[in-house]
Amino acid sequence: MSTSYTTLWTNDLCRELERSGYAGRRLTMLFGGPHQSLPSFQRAGVQPGDHIYPVRAHHARLHVLGVLEVARIVPYENAGSALPDDDYVKLLDWRPLKTGCVTEVLIGPPGAPLRFDTVVPGSLLERLTYTSRRGERLLKHVEDGRLIRSTSLQGIYRLAADSAEELDRLIRHDAPSGGSR
């Protein structure tokens, strides 16, 4: 059974991706590292088969940007020799995501189209639930359906199954025609 996670992208990264024409493109890889600015997916427990939902906190709202189903996790230092030519080209193509010190590359089949306008409704935001070894927790700093601070999203966090299903439905429902996973 797959597990789902969120990872917070900065507004600067989102603006750069929008300016560079990445909107509508399907995610095929993500990068992880040892620092808070680029956290490790492996340290968070991500495995092949899991789903990663990049999110953005912007103007007191949470945006879900897309999804990647992880097929492989490759050490970045071995990416040139470990990846087939097609995947290596994707590695170069998604280089704006490669900020800071990169130690790992997550590769998957094309996910949902990358969108910057899919807002998580306030009612879902208020019940968005994460899970860990210590139990479940609601997303912190949510008041009246608005995200007051994004600090509880910084990193890679495992979603509760119901919350993951709702984010997935939101992405698929808002996808342009022909834009399903």
Side-chain angles (χ1 to χ4, degrees):
M1 180 172 181
S2 70
T3 304
S4 297
Y5 298 81
T6 61
T7 183
L8 182 66
W9 285 1
T10 66
N11 286 312
D12 287 342
L13 173 61
C14 291
R15 280 190 289 275
E16 173 64 26
L17 290 170
E18 283 181 287
R19 268 194 306 271
S20 300
Y22 283 83
R25 295 179 59 187
R26 295 174 182 276
L27 272 176
T28 56
M29 61 184 45
L30 293 169
F31 300 91
H35 304 298
Q36 185 176 358
S37 61
L38 189 66
S40 170
F41 289 95
Q42 288 184 301
R43 195 174 322 130
V46 173
Q47 299 290 319
D50 291 346
H51 294 89
I52 310 296
Y53 294 88
V55 296
R56 172 189 196 182
H58 189 60
H59 296 302
R61 296 183 299 196
L62 182 67
H63 299 252
V64 61
L65 307 172
V67 65
L68 175 77
E69 181 181 347
V70 179
R72 293 177 60 196
I73 302 173
V74 177
Y76 181 70
E77 63 190 28
N78 300 341
S81 60
L83 296 177
D85 290 344
D86 288 350
D87 283 338
Y88 190 74
V89 169
K90 293 174 192 171
L91 178 85
L92 299 174
D93 191 41
W94 285 101
R95 73 180 156 264
L97 298 179
K98 211 177 79 175
T99 59
C101 299
V102 175
T103 58
E104 60 200 33
V105 182
L106 280 66
I107 302 160
L114 192 59
R115 304 237 350 237
F116 298 95
D117 60 350
T118 304
V119 176
V120 175
S123 60
L124 174 53
L125 192 62
E126 290 178 344
R127 66 179 186 280
L128 197 64
T129 306
Y130 288 90
T131 179
S132 70
R133 283 178 246 151
R134 290 181 273 173
E136 291 191 348
R137 71 169 172 89
L138 291 172
L139 180 61
K140 297 177 185 174
H141 312 296
V142 175
E143 294 177 14
D144 299 322
R146 299 181 61 219
L147 184 62
I148 305 306
R149 285 193 303 272
S150 63
T151 54
S152 64
L153 288 164
Q154 294 172 351
I156 299 165
Y157 294 104
R158 185 173 41 165
L159 285 160
D162 290 349
S163 291
E165 287 174 19
E166 290 195 72
L167 286 184
D168 201 62
R169 276 196 301 273
L170 184 62
I171 287 174
R172 282 195 244 169
H173 178 272
D174 279 356
S177 61
S180 63
R181 291 199 298 188

